[in-house]
Amino acid sequence: MVTRAEAVTRQLREAILGGQYEPGARLSEMALADGMSVSRTPIRAALSVLFTEGLLDYEPNCGYVVRRITLDDAIHIYTVRATLEGLAARLAAEIGLAEAERTRFEAVLAEMERLVAGKAWKAEQMERWGELNIAFHGMICAAAGNGYLASSILRTRTLPVLTERGLKTFFAERAVVWWDRAAYRRSQDDHLDIGEAILARQGTRAETVMREHIERAGRLIHRKLAIGSEAALALP
Amino acid sequence: MVTRAEAVTRQLREAILGGQYEPGARLSEMALADGMSVSRTPIRAALSVLFTEGLLDYEPNCGYVVRRITLDDAIHIYTVRATLEGLAARLAAEIGLAEAERTRFEAVLAEMERLVAGKAWKAEQMERWGELNIAFHGMICAAAGNGYLASSILRTRTLPVLTERGLKTFFAERAVVWWDRAAYRRSQDDHLDIGEAILARQGTRAETVMREHIERAGRLIHRKLAIGSEAALALP
DNA sequence: TCTGTCGTTATTGTGTACAAAAAGGGCAGG
DNA sequence: CCTGCCCTTTTTGTACACAATAACGACAGA
């Protein structure tokens, strides 16, 4: 059986990443305990874990608040993420994909291409593309054969990134994208290049393109948020 | 005032990283509570934090044990660290050092050079060199101006890395090095190159040299540990 | 009216009792 | 003699009570 502390941790993490709490919101132990029908003990354990994970801020005797991440922080995180995913791409290229992986990899790339190139481009297609995109990056991560790297990358994707004035929380996994189709096309071109490089065992090329691919996303987000438009996020 | 939970966390972290517990050792809550003259509550909080940090393994209803990191894990961590410190070096070069930073930076490099080039090379000099080495890498980290990057690098340096058969725990900060002087010379040459590149604002060069610099340390450790010699660690 | 201090109140930190689950040992059966 | 089951024991998980600390507000003095 799973302990209540674990269940609460998962629930709270989902809630925070899902944007159910405003950035800066205080998380009172009693309130949470009442709301979740457990005692304060598992709540405290969960809060301490989420603090260590970087989702909450904490001050002794003052309690926990949902972490407020600035635009600069988001850029910093994207910079690190670009480098790490670049490393993953290089390793994947150097190690090479097994037969089954390769098949699936090519299938994912092909379906993304069909979507982007197709006539229909509605919410349904965008959502599907988002899923495939996550799968694409995930496969490269896995193919790199470095668990520590994988978990480091995961960390860069699960931090709640939020605007300064805008109160919306959003985070990379959700892949809600609100910009024009050309951006998808450009992103997909990168994917094709990266895929080609990996399959051709060209490590440096894969690394370079991947890094630029992610950094572009960071710049896009920065620009969109800086001019105060609605939150826009790529998971490119 | 600092809470007991925080104090216990710090103490326990030090103890684990310092190698006071065998890898795989069970950490009983009651035993720790008795030993530290506090109740189980702060102990539990500390253990949960250290688990989240990756220093401990945990199984519900079974308790915590000191994490056993394999040689492969260590290599993986070093690979990530090499990439991240490379990134830091590049950013530092691109941003440039402020006047005060630059002065201190050059002073550190010069003292390291004096030590390595000097006649005396005993434990005292090695220890001092280790300190300066940490300072050198730390300054680059800080100069990169990316807090997320800095904390990510820190994480790669505080993981307990231990041999499979050998029971010794050792970790990067301690910088205990047991190999010949030539390795220091080589390391210092790298430092000079990196320093030169950063001061000359040559980002790519700084990144490349730094990455190789750290990866060499990883390879050295791998080789030393793989052939079963005494643990040897560079903090290069 | 502003400001500083004091007391109240709410919230967190710690200790401890009890419940629940797993580990270990003893016993019976094969 | 070995194996499997059951009971005991130990250890962890949870709840709750109390202590300690910080936030808030009222009041008095300037």
Side-chain angles (χ1 to χ4, degrees):
Chain A
M1 182 215 171
V2 61
T3 67
R4 299 180 201 197
E6 289 179 301
V8 168
T9 304
R10 203 168 7 243
Q11 260 182 276
L12 265 180
R13 191 190 289 117
E14 296 282 322
I16 294 169
L17 292 177
Q20 285 185 234
Y21 296 99
E22 302 274 306
R26 275 183 54 77
L27 296 183
S28 155
E29 297 178 359
M30 270 307 275
L32 290 171
D34 288 348
M36 296 176 135
S37 304
V38 293
S39 81
R40 276 175 58 213
T41 308
I43 299 283
R44 284 177 63 81
L47 290 175
S48 122
V49 166
L50 295 176
F51 166 67
T52 308
E53 285 181 0
L55 267 62
L56 302 177
D57 281 331
Y58 166 71
E59 192 110 14
N61 294 307
C62 297
Y64 297 86
V65 299
V66 177
R67 185 167 168 199
R68 183 183 298 276
I69 293 189
T70 69
L71 193 49
D72 271 358
D73 289 335
I75 302 301
H76 289 166
I77 293 173
Y78 258 83
T79 302
V80 171
R81 182 174 157 211
T83 303
L84 291 178
E85 290 222 36
L87 171 61
R90 179 162 66 83
L91 292 177
E94 288 174 354
I95 293 172
L97 269 58
E99 193 49 39
E101 289 175 326
R102 185 194 176 101
T103 308
R104 189 163 136 56
F105 189 68
E106 289 176 326
V108 166
L109 266 176
E111 187 178 345
M112 290 174 100
E113 180 60 32
R114 272 200 303 280
L115 282 171
V116 165
K119 266 195 290 198
W121 187 251
K122 306 234 170 81
E124 187 191 333
Q125 279 80 27
M126 288 165 83
E127 191 173 332
R128 177 65 182 154
W129 194 86
E131 284 172 23
L132 290 167
N133 184 35
I134 291 175
F136 176 79
H137 286 270
M139 287 173 73
I140 292 173
C141 233
N146 183 328
Y148 188 81
L149 174 59
S151 73
S152 298
I153 290 175
L154 203 64
R155 197 189 311 274
T156 66
R157 292 163 63 129
T158 52
L159 264 182
V161 176
L162 49 93
T163 81
E164 266 296 30
R165 86 185 67 72
L167 326 105
K168 275 223 152 61
T169 308
F170 64 95
F171 77 113
E173 293 307 303
R174 291 277 182 266
V176 188
V177 198
W178 289 339
W179 72 68
D180 61 299
R181 194 170 175 179
Y184 283 92
R185 182 66 257 175
R186 175 63 210 252
S187 189
Q188 175 62 10
D189 285 342
D190 282 350
H191 289 167
L192 292 176
D193 276 350
I194 293 165
E196 199 177 282
I198 289 177
L199 293 177
R201 315 290 293 270
Q202 298 168 339
T204 306
R205 180 180 163 210
E207 176 169 24
T208 307
V209 179
M210 177 65 95
R211 195 191 261 194
E212 183 58 25
H213 175 65
I214 307 268
E215 271 176 357
R216 178 176 312 115
R219 285 196 302 272
L220 267 173
I221 289 171
H222 183 94
R223 203 175 314 146
K224 294 254 178 183
L225 294 187
I227 62 176
S229 79
E230 283 291 87
L233 173 58
L235 193 267
Chain B
M1 181 213 173
V2 62
T3 67
R4 299 180 202 199
E6 289 180 300
V8 168
T9 304
R10 200 162 16 236
Q11 261 183 274
L12 265 180
R13 192 190 289 117
E14 296 283 322
I16 294 168
L17 292 176
Q20 287 186 233
Y21 297 100
E22 304 272 305
R26 274 183 56 75
L27 295 183
S28 157
E29 297 178 1
M30 269 310 272
L32 290 171
D34 287 348
M36 297 177 131
S37 304
V38 295
S39 80
R40 278 176 55 214
T41 307
I43 298 284
R44 285 178 62 81
L47 291 175
S48 122
V49 167
L50 296 177
F51 166 67
T52 308
E53 285 181 359
L55 267 62
L56 301 177
D57 281 331
Y58 166 71
E59 190 111 15
N61 295 307
C62 296
Y64 297 86
V65 299
V66 177
R67 186 168 168 200
R68 182 186 298 279
I69 292 188
T70 68
L71 192 50
D72 272 357
D73 289 334
I75 302 302
H76 290 166
I77 293 172
Y78 258 83
T79 302
V80 171
R81 182 174 157 210
T83 304
L84 291 178
E85 290 222 35
L87 171 62
R90 179 162 67 82
L91 292 176
E94 289 174 354
I95 294 172
L97 270 56
E99 193 50 39
E101 290 176 326
R102 184 192 177 101
T103 307
R104 187 160 137 60
F105 189 68
E106 289 176 327
V108 166
L109 267 176
E111 186 178 346
M112 289 174 102
E113 180 61 31
R114 273 199 303 280
L115 282 171
V116 165
K119 266 194 290 198
W121 187 251
K122 304 233 170 82
E124 188 190 332
Q125 280 79 27
M126 289 164 82
E127 192 174 332
R128 178 64 181 153
W129 194 86
E131 282 171 25
L132 291 167
N133 184 34
I134 292 176
F136 176 79
H137 286 270
M139 288 173 73
I140 293 174
C141 234
N146 183 326
Y148 188 81
L149 173 58
S151 74
S152 298
I153 290 175
L154 204 64
R155 197 189 309 277
T156 67
R157 292 162 64 130
T158 53
L159 265 180
V161 177
L162 48 91
T163 81
E164 268 295 30
R165 88 185 67 70
L167 325 108
K168 273 222 152 63
T169 307
F170 63 97
F171 78 113
E173 292 309 303
R174 290 279 182 264
V176 187
V177 199
W178 288 339
W179 72 67
D180 59 298
R181 194 169 176 180
Y184 283 92
R185 183 64 258 177
R186 175 64 210 251
S187 191
Q188 175 63 9
D189 285 342
D190 282 349
H191 288 167
L192 292 175
D193 277 350
I194 294 165
E196 198 178 281
I198 289 177
L199 293 178
R201 313 290 294 269
Q202 298 169 337
T204 305
R205 178 180 166 210
E207 176 170 24
T208 307
V209 179
M210 177 65 95
R211 195 191 262 195
E212 183 59 25
H213 175 64
I214 306 269
E215 272 176 354
R216 178 176 312 113
R219 285 197 301 273
L220 267 174
I221 288 170
H222 183 95
R223 203 176 312 146
K224 293 254 179 186
L225 294 187
I227 60 175
S229 79
E230 283 291 87
L233 173 59
L235 193 265

